Amino acid sequence: MSDKDKKERLKELLRSIHEGEGEVDELRNEFKELLKSISPQDIPAIEQELVKEGVTPDEIAEMCDIHLDIFRESVEDAFGLEGVPKGHPLHTLYRENEEITKDAETLPLMLSSLREADDIEEKLEEFSERISDLLKIDRTHYSRQEMIIFPHIEKRGIEAVPRVLWRKHDENMDKVKKLLRMISKEGKEGFVDELEELSRDVSQSIMDMVFRENNILYPTLKELLSEGEWVAIAEQESDLGYYKIEPEDEWRSEEEPEYPYEVEKEISETELSELPEQLKDIIGEGVERDTYDVRNEDDFEVETGFLDKEEVNSLLRTLPVDITYIDKNNRVRYYSETERIFPRSRAIIGRPVKFCHPPKSVDKVKKILEKFRSGEKDKAEFWIQGDGAFIYIRYFPVRNEEDEYLGAVEVVQEVSEIRELEGEKRILDWKESD
Amino acid sequence: MSDKDKKERLKELLRSIHEGEGEVDELRNEFKELLKSISPQDIPAIEQELVKEGVTPDEIAEMCDIHLDIFRESVEDAFGLEGVPKGHPLHTLYRENEEITKDAETLPLMLSSLREADDIEEKLEEFSERISDLLKIDRTHYSRQEMIIFPHIEKRGIEAVPRVLWRKHDENMDKVKKLLRMISKEGKEGFVDELEELSRDVSQSIMDMVFRENNILYPTLKELLSEGEWVAIAEQESDLGYYKIEPEDEWRSEEEPEYPYEVEKEISETELSELPEQLKDIIGEGVERDTYDVRNEDDFEVETGFLDKEEVNSLLRTLPVDITYIDKNNRVRYYSETERIFPRSRAIIGRPVKFCHPPKSVDKVKKILEKFRSGEKDKAEFWIQGDGAFIYIRYFPVRNEEDEYLGAVEVVQEVSEIRELEGEKRILDWKESD
């Protein structure tokens, strides 16, 4: 069958399915088989043509669903997703890709309906909302991979793949933003044509990424990562969130989480042979694992990293705020040695805080600390001005992870420069002469 | 001799000294003896009268010098200052008190000259400068005692004396500020009278404090503090600075510094008997030393205090800035777990920083880090806006006390609230309903 014939047959089938003519399951199966014979990259273009030829958005939605079915099956084939339990981070990524596929596919279709729209403003608004939705892919699905997942393969020496994918993520989002900006130029000559062209491009780029992920990245992850590593990934996912789904909770593991800095594995010969062909081409020969150990003997390990004594002290001194910390008995335990706005001296270490303030403000300080201790307040803030300086003073209760009161901290900051900042200055604007 | 006669004789002597009549040394000695017979508190009033009766400011300056001589001698008598080497913190305090005395004494005299002044504006400006000078007493001489010295006697259970002195410091400074404000009301009826009255009051209050310090506080400190404690005090003094002097450098000690939190002494019977009578009355019976030990076993001691692991982590999480720290090998070592503006996950611990940024900004990041490492730059800052948020992003090199490069820190802060602050809010304005 020629592509043209296939398209005609698809159109007929869609109509029939939608109108409930005949045996729907059979029709869907025929439709599926037909779709499979078409290269996935060509499908959006065919859908596009169908819309032009009068297929309604409802019918197209049906088509998307069927396409998704196939898509799901083909992915399951590729790396046996059926073995991956619901709620497993890989399962979640895959489900998001279904949503992303759906949204990317409908984008050019929605746009085609613009030409026939009675109320173009309304259509554009709807369109604009859908495009804005796509920006969320970046903050969730893409970011989770960039921030939580890539480090696991980087640690094994696979460095180029994450860089390429991240660059593509950014390109995709740049295109989405361009599309959003274009909408505001309604009325310009050739507006709909330009919009249509760019939205097809956006759709295609996003679909390409889905394809890369499902066919290259996810099979790689499945092959390489230990169960402990998936436990670690699962612990962090929810901070970044998900694209239009909530992960299911079927998957449970007894393994201890294994964070990238704990991973010491090289890629074995067997693992290498199991990797997708496209990846093997990219990583090539001589992949060496990253042997850097970020942990040192005298470190002070906390939930979110490692610091040694020298670093704690130097880091606190470097911060652009002046810190004074009192313990739960209201005694000064620590202050940071900066170019302080309000000077502090070592003599105050161990001093009761009530003796550190001018007598007339002591009662207020005591009262604030009581409210911190009881949990009634989480902040007290003050600001004073003079000689061109604007001093911002904040007190906060310090609580441990069990929410127990450990003490309180005073944070003092000169903010006149912050108050005078104008416009924006991005890292890409940075120059050596700055 | 009646007070009136004394005053007349003082006036004659001043004239003669100033005009160089007769043997000046003899005249000065007679003047001194005469002054000693007058209560120190009465001297400013007498000076005041002398000015009214036509004694010139130059002559009065002479009188101040002679008064200071006596003053110095009487203090040396009181606690044997001659035993205290130049540069010893006690010696420095005493020398400042000479300067303070001189400035306080001349204040009402300067003002008297206002009545006869040709150019009152000019006089007022001069006057205003002199009064502003007095504010520096607070930032130097008073603050050094409040912050560096009082903790040493508090630790021995003497708590009331520091509170009373600090309150008086604040009262003195409030009066000085009031005097400054009053000057701006030139032209008001009774202006000069009011100014004269208040300046006498300021002068008297400041002199009173000098008297209390020289006669009560300093002898007490001399009696109680160990040489190590003076070494500790000397280490901190220069951060706060001095009132119109630079400490001499004759005093050297081999003792290790002993900070208040290291002091474990109670006041002995012998020490108690040596204390000035006025102090004994105030501290009374049953003084108990402060036994609180601010140090715990698992602490992490730094120059400016103590923190345990839980406190480091909780403190960093409490700060109103988001922190990400990379070590000198450009690997992420730590990030603070706050409600982060830019999310971070544990997976980035140990990750090369070049992999943590979008590919297109990586080159800028690398360049900035090179400049930090080489010492060419100490800051890189950026700011972006969107959705009502104003995000301020700063990078700083982290160096140890030997100025060696340890790594770099990213500090991210949402500053829209800071940019909208208006006026002032002082701690005294704090209410429970805030």
Side-chain angles (χ1 to χ4, degrees):
Chain A
M1 221 190 294
S2 73
D3 277 0
K4 197 166 178 302
D5 292 341
K6 283 180 189 168
K7 199 183 68 189
E8 283 308 313
R9 182 64 191 144
L10 281 173
K11 199 154 69 174
E12 281 166 33
L13 285 167
L14 268 182
R15 285 264 152 77
S16 308
I17 294 168
H18 203 68
E19 281 154 24
E21 283 168 7
E23 194 58 62
V24 172
D25 279 352
E26 257 173 47
L27 292 169
R28 285 181 70 110
N29 278 337
E30 190 191 340
F31 192 93
K32 246 183 223 181
E33 289 311 312
L34 203 53
L35 265 185
K36 279 186 196 172
S37 71
I38 299 169
S39 152
Q41 282 85 339
D42 293 338
I43 289 171
I46 290 175
E47 292 174 335
Q48 198 61 35
E49 279 180 61
L50 291 174
V51 170
K52 278 191 190 152
E53 289 166 21
V55 178
T56 69
D58 271 359
E59 287 163 346
I60 289 290
E62 183 77 40
M63 171 156 171
C64 288
D65 284 347
I66 296 171
H67 186 202
L68 221 53
D69 271 354
I70 302 167
F71 194 73
R72 192 176 292 124
E73 286 163 16
S74 77
V75 171
E76 282 176 2
D77 287 351
F79 64 101
L81 189 75
E82 74 270 41
V84 180
K86 291 177 179 175
H88 187 286
L90 214 44
H91 196 275
T92 305
L93 286 166
Y94 171 71
R95 281 182 56 215
E96 282 177 304
N97 269 347
E98 289 183 2
E99 297 297 323
I100 292 168
T101 303
K102 218 186 294 181
D103 289 350
E105 275 194 356
T106 48
L107 197 63
L109 308 179
M110 284 191 67
L111 193 60
S112 300
S113 63
L114 209 60
R115 292 192 195 278
E116 290 87 40
D118 296 329
D119 186 345
I120 190 164
E121 294 290 344
E122 194 186 36
K123 277 278 169 209
L124 279 177
E125 200 166 308
E126 199 187 326
F127 193 50
S128 180
E129 273 171 32
R130 293 297 279 271
I131 301 168
S132 299
D133 266 2
L134 296 175
L135 289 174
K136 289 182 202 144
I137 299 173
D138 197 41
R139 296 197 296 272
T140 56
H141 185 76
Y142 288 174
S143 278
R144 287 211 320 287
Q145 298 178 64
E146 292 158 3
M147 292 299 174
I148 304 178
I149 293 175
F150 290 171
H152 289 271
I153 55 174
E154 286 162 10
K155 196 68 191 172
R156 290 168 168 86
I158 303 177
E159 299 186 347
V161 174
R163 301 288 81 68
V164 171
L165 293 179
W166 195 334
R167 191 177 287 276
K168 293 264 170 219
H169 294 165
D170 290 352
E171 280 172 14
N172 287 355
M173 290 303 123
D174 285 346
K175 285 182 189 173
V176 172
K177 286 175 199 159
K178 193 176 166 192
L179 191 55
L180 271 176
R181 284 196 301 275
M182 195 179 274
I183 288 183
S184 64
K185 291 182 186 148
E186 192 222 323
K188 203 180 149 231
E189 204 192 22
F191 171 69
V192 178
D193 290 342
E194 275 189 36
L195 214 52
E196 218 174 329
E197 190 184 341
L198 185 57
S199 67
R200 264 201 305 277
D201 185 21
V202 166
S203 171
Q204 189 61 55
S205 302
I206 291 176
M207 294 288 291
D208 277 355
M209 180 54 66
V210 170
F211 185 83
R212 278 167 192 267
E213 289 175 356
N214 287 356
N215 292 290
I216 306 176
L217 181 63
Y218 301 166
T220 304
L221 296 173
K222 187 159 185 278
E223 188 58 41
L224 296 180
L225 270 53
S226 70
E227 180 151 342
E229 289 178 84
W230 288 115
V231 174
I233 289 167
E235 283 188 349
Q236 305 164 77
E237 289 185 316
S238 64
D239 287 345
L240 288 160
Y242 311 93
Y243 186 70
K244 298 195 172 177
I245 60 152
E246 275 304 316
E248 287 151 302
D249 59 359
E250 213 164 88
W251 181 63
R252 289 278 181 279
S253 174
E254 298 295 311
E255 289 289 317
E256 284 294 306
E258 190 183 358
Y259 282 87
Y261 61 84
E262 297 164 316
V263 170
E264 293 189 359
K265 284 210 212 75
E266 305 222 27
I267 302 175
S268 69
E269 281 302 315
T270 328
E271 281 173 331
L272 195 61
S273 69
E274 298 286 339
L275 291 184
E277 286 305 319
Q278 298 100 317
L279 188 75
K280 275 188 244 173
D281 292 346
I282 302 172
I283 63 175
E285 294 292 306
V287 174
E288 270 178 49
R289 82 171 179 93
D290 172 14
T291 56
Y292 189 84
D293 193 349
V294 73
R295 299 163 288 184
N296 298 320
E297 210 171 301
D298 296 325
D299 281 347
F300 202 84
E301 182 177 352
V302 294
E303 179 80 12
T304 53
F306 304 90
L307 289 172
D308 64 28
K309 181 174 144 175
E310 189 177 44
E311 286 174 320
V312 167
N313 195 26
S314 306
L315 177 60
L316 287 167
R317 280 194 302 118
T318 303
L319 296 179
V321 292
D322 293 351
I323 295 163
T324 309
Y325 169 69
I326 60 169
D327 68 13
K328 63 172 175 290
N329 297 310
N330 293 336
R331 297 284 186 147
V332 177
R333 277 268 284 175
Y334 174 83
Y335 66 91
S336 60
E337 184 70 49
T338 54
E339 300 272 311
R340 294 196 64 106
I341 295 156
F342 303 127
R344 298 280 180 265
S345 300
R346 287 182 73 183
I348 63 160
I349 299 166
R351 196 181 194 191
V353 68
K354 66 181 174 187
F355 293 163
C356 298
H357 284 261
K360 69 178 171 181
S361 60
V362 164
D363 285 345
K364 294 283 185 182
V365 173
K366 282 187 191 165
K367 201 82 197 160
I368 291 167
L369 291 174
E370 278 167 28
K371 298 284 171 188
F372 283 175
R373 189 181 298 270
S374 70
E376 285 169 80
K377 295 221 177 281
D378 273 318
K379 188 168 79 169
E381 50 177 14
F382 310 99
W383 52 97
I384 54 178
Q385 301 191 47
D387 289 335
F390 194 110
I391 317 287
Y392 191 32
I393 303 150
R394 284 180 280 182
Y395 298 146
F396 302 96
V398 176
R399 301 184 195 281
N400 66 13
E401 303 199 2
E402 285 73 46
D403 214 30
E404 291 158 345
Y405 182 77
L406 298 184
V409 62
E410 178 194 66
V411 179
V412 181
Q413 193 174 7
E414 204 288 305
V415 295
S416 57
E417 280 183 29
I418 291 179
R419 292 167 59 88
E420 282 160 19
L421 295 174
E422 282 177 22
E424 292 198 319
K425 183 182 170 189
R426 293 173 171 272
I427 191 162
L428 292 171
D429 306 327
W430 185 83
K431 295 183 302 292
E432 288 194 29
S433 56
D434 274 3
Chain B
M1 221 190 295
S2 75
D3 276 1
K4 196 163 180 308
D5 291 342
K6 283 180 187 170
K7 198 183 71 186
E8 283 308 310
R9 183 63 193 146
L10 281 172
K11 198 154 72 171
E12 281 168 31
L13 284 167
L14 270 181
R15 287 266 152 76
S16 307
I17 293 167
H18 203 69
E19 282 156 25
E21 283 169 6
E23 194 59 60
V24 172
D25 279 353
E26 255 172 50
L27 290 169
R28 284 180 71 111
N29 278 338
E30 189 190 339
F31 191 93
K32 246 183 222 181
E33 288 311 310
L34 204 53
L35 265 184
K36 278 185 196 173
S37 72
I38 298 167
S39 153
Q41 281 85 340
D42 293 339
I43 290 171
I46 290 175
E47 291 174 337
Q48 200 61 36
E49 278 180 62
L50 292 174
V51 170
K52 278 192 191 154
E53 289 168 22
V55 177
T56 69
D58 271 2
E59 286 162 348
I60 289 289
E62 181 79 40
M63 173 156 169
C64 287
D65 284 347
I66 296 171
H67 185 203
L68 221 55
D69 272 356
I70 301 166
F71 193 74
R72 190 175 293 125
E73 286 163 15
S74 76
V75 171
E76 283 176 2
D77 287 352
F79 65 100
L81 188 76
E82 75 271 37
V84 179
K86 290 177 179 175
H88 186 287
L90 213 43
H91 195 275
T92 305
L93 286 167
Y94 170 72
R95 280 181 58 215
E96 282 177 303
N97 268 347
E98 289 183 1
E99 297 298 323
I100 291 168
T101 303
K102 220 186 295 183
D103 288 349
E105 274 194 357
T106 49
L107 195 65
L109 308 179
M110 285 190 66
L111 192 62
S112 300
S113 64
L114 207 62
R115 293 195 192 276
E116 290 88 39
D118 296 329
D119 185 346
I120 191 165
E121 294 291 343
E122 191 187 40
K123 276 280 169 205
L124 279 177
E125 199 166 310
E126 197 186 326
F127 193 49
S128 182
E129 273 171 31
R130 292 299 278 272
I131 300 168
S132 299
D133 267 2
L134 296 176
L135 290 174
K136 289 182 201 145
I137 299 173
D138 198 40
R139 297 197 295 272
T140 56
H141 185 75
Y142 287 174
S143 279
R144 287 212 320 286
Q145 298 178 63
E146 292 158 3
M147 291 300 174
I148 304 178
I149 293 176
F150 290 171
H152 289 271
I153 55 173
E154 287 162 10
K155 197 68 190 167
R156 290 170 168 86
I158 303 177
E159 299 185 346
V161 174
R163 302 287 83 69
V164 171
L165 293 179
W166 196 334
R167 191 176 286 277
K168 293 261 168 222
H169 294 164
D170 289 352
E171 280 173 15
N172 287 355
M173 290 303 123
D174 285 346
K175 284 181 189 175
V176 172
K177 286 174 198 159
K178 191 174 168 192
L179 192 55
L180 271 176
R181 285 196 301 275
M182 194 179 275
I183 288 182
S184 65
K185 290 180 187 152
E186 194 224 323
K188 199 179 151 231
E189 203 192 22
F191 171 69
V192 178
D193 289 342
E194 275 188 38
L195 212 55
E196 216 174 331
E197 192 185 339
L198 184 56
S199 68
R200 263 201 305 275
D201 184 21
V202 166
S203 170
Q204 187 63 52
S205 301
I206 292 177
M207 294 290 289
D208 277 355
M209 180 54 67
V210 169
F211 184 83
R212 277 166 193 266
E213 289 174 358
N214 286 356
N215 292 288
I216 306 175
L217 181 64
Y218 300 166
T220 303
L221 296 173
K222 186 159 188 278
E223 187 59 37
L224 296 180
L225 269 54
S226 71
E227 181 151 340
E229 289 178 84
W230 288 115
V231 173
I233 290 168
E235 283 188 349
Q236 305 164 75
E237 288 185 315
S238 65
D239 288 344
L240 287 159
Y242 311 92
Y243 187 70
K244 297 195 171 177
I245 61 152
E246 275 303 317
E248 286 151 302
D249 60 359
E250 212 164 88
W251 182 61
R252 287 280 181 279
S253 174
E254 298 295 310
E255 289 290 317
E256 285 294 306
E258 190 183 359
Y259 282 87
Y261 62 85
E262 299 166 312
V263 171
E264 295 189 358
K265 284 207 213 75
E266 305 222 27
I267 302 174
S268 69
E269 281 302 315
T270 327
E271 281 174 332
L272 195 62
S273 70
E274 297 286 340
L275 291 184
E277 285 305 318
Q278 298 101 317
L279 188 76
K280 275 188 247 178
D281 291 348
I282 301 172
I283 62 175
E285 292 293 305
V287 176
E288 271 179 48
R289 82 170 178 92
D290 171 13
T291 58
Y292 189 84
D293 193 349
V294 73
R295 298 163 289 185
N296 299 320
E297 210 171 300
D298 296 323
D299 281 348
F300 202 85
E301 181 178 351
V302 293
E303 180 81 12
T304 53
F306 305 90
L307 289 171
D308 63 30
K309 182 175 141 173
E310 188 177 46
E311 286 174 320
V312 167
N313 196 26
S314 306
L315 177 60
L316 287 168
R317 280 194 301 119
T318 303
L319 296 180
V321 293
D322 293 352
I323 296 163
T324 308
Y325 169 69
I326 59 168
D327 68 13
K328 61 173 176 289
N329 298 310
N330 293 337
R331 298 284 185 145
V332 177
R333 278 267 285 174
Y334 173 84
Y335 65 92
S336 59
E337 185 68 52
T338 53
E339 301 273 309
R340 295 196 63 108
I341 295 156
F342 304 127
R344 297 280 180 267
S345 301
R346 287 182 71 184
I348 63 161
I349 299 167
R351 194 179 195 192
V353 68
K354 64 181 175 189
F355 293 164
C356 297
H357 284 261
K360 69 177 170 183
S361 59
V362 164
D363 285 345
K364 294 284 186 181
V365 173
K366 282 186 190 165
K367 201 81 197 162
I368 291 168
L369 291 173
E370 276 168 30
K371 298 283 172 189
F372 283 175
R373 190 183 296 270
S374 69
E376 286 169 79
K377 296 224 177 280
D378 273 318
K379 188 167 78 170
E381 49 177 15
F382 310 98
W383 52 97
I384 54 178
Q385 301 190 48
D387 290 334
F390 195 108
I391 316 288
Y392 191 33
I393 303 149
R394 284 180 279 183
Y395 298 147
F396 303 96
V398 175
R399 302 183 193 282
N400 66 11
E401 303 202 1
E402 286 74 46
D403 215 28
E404 291 158 345
Y405 182 77
L406 298 184
V409 62
E410 178 195 65
V411 179
V412 182
Q413 195 175 6
E414 203 288 303
V415 296
S416 58
E417 280 183 30
I418 291 179
R419 291 167 59 87
E420 280 159 19
L421 295 174
E422 282 177 20
E424 292 198 317
K425 182 180 171 192
R426 293 172 171 273
I427 192 161
L428 292 171
D429 306 328
W430 186 83
K431 295 182 302 291
E432 287 193 29
S433 56
D434 273 3

